[in-house]
Amino acid sequence: EIVMTQSPATLSVFPGTRATLFCRASQSVSSYLAWYQQKPGQAPRLLIYGASTRATGIPARFSGSGSRTDFSLTISSLQSEDFAVYYCQQYDDWPYTFGQGTKLEIK
Amino acid sequence: QVTLNESGPALVKPTQTLTLTCTFSGFSLSTTGMRVSWIRQPPGKALEWLARIDWDDDKFYSPSLKTRLTISKDTSKNQVLLTLTNMDPVDTATYYCARMGDPKYWYFDLWGRGTLVTVSS
């Protein structure tokens, strides 16, 4: 099973600034990496797939990069609605596995 | 518009079998390349993939839960069912169904709102 490790666990940032979240796979997953956003009491929402392709309707301030084992999600100018928990997920092989999440909170 | 809705009991007792239903609209599970998965999330914890069923009735299970899980579909009703046997308090979680709408890749593009299942005597 591929283990996904996200860092940091919590990131405190000011609105309007940039945030970068990281995800590392225990073995290469090529570019088969997705990012999700989850707000309290809501289902996860797909943000990025293929490591860098924005899903339908996702604002351009969200961008993903990386390949093989190291990935990042950058939010260029944080809006109030962006404060949430973010998960990465590999789909190179099943069982599909998620990271433990990064909580993005307002500083 | 694509929607998925999970339904099932909110409370089950230890050792009982849980049966959940995912009722969806806006797509068909008979379309080539379409897949639906179940994923769960214990309170305050991370997401865990459980099982997947494909348009051609192929099925895949989490190795850690394989002996307890069964996934099935009723294409005519637009439903996917999940059963989990021998429930334990550690199985307390919100259970989500999610569509895997990209025929080439296995990410979850649309999710239901989830249903919270508590295991307690």
Side-chain angles (χ1 to χ4, degrees), chain A residues 45-60:
Chain A
R45 177 175 72 143
L46 175 68
L47 298 175
I48 301 284
Y49 62 93
S52 61
T53 302
R54 279 190 304 278
T56 302
I58 301 304

Side-chain angles (χ1 to χ4, degrees), chain A residues 1 32 34 36 38 41-46 49-50 87 89-101, chain B residues 37 39 41 45-49 52 60-64 96 100 102 105-114:
Chain A
E1 172 175 314
Y32 300 130
Y36 302 85
Q38 188 177 34
Q42 296 185 18
R45 177 175 72 143
L46 175 68
Y49 62 93
Y87 293 97
Q89 175 237 334
Q90 67 80 18
Y91 53 96
D92 182 65
D93 199 4
W94 65 276
Y96 315 116
T97 47
F98 295 85
Q100 79 278 19
Chain B
S37 277
I39 297 148
Q41 185 174 38
K45 295 189 177 181
L47 299 157
E48 178 185 20
W49 174 78
R52 171 190 127 190
F60 299 82
Y61 296 100
S62 168
S64 63
Y96 298 98
M100 304 167 80
D102 189 326
Y105 304 113
W106 304 327
Y107 55 86
F108 310 104
D109 63 341
L110 289 163
W111 298 59
R113 297 184 65 173

Side-chain angles (χ1 to χ4, degrees), chain B residues 36-93:
Chain B
V36 170
S37 277
W38 284 94
I39 297 148
R40 70 179 180 180
Q41 185 174 38
K45 295 189 177 181
L47 299 157
E48 178 185 20
W49 174 78
L50 301 176
R52 171 190 127 190
I53 191 164
D54 295 358
W55 80 99
D56 58 359
D57 212 36
D58 267 350
K59 300 165 187 176
F60 299 82
Y61 296 100
S62 168
S64 63
L65 292 166
K66 182 177 181 179
T67 59
R68 299 172 53 205
L69 284 168
T70 302
I71 192 169
S72 62
K73 64 182 173 71
D74 186 331
T75 304
S76 65
K77 293 183 178 178
N78 281 349
Q79 291 181 334
V80 173
L81 277 68
L82 183 79
T83 63
L84 182 58
T85 62
N86 194 23
M87 292 290 283
D88 183 271
V90 299
D91 296 312
T92 293

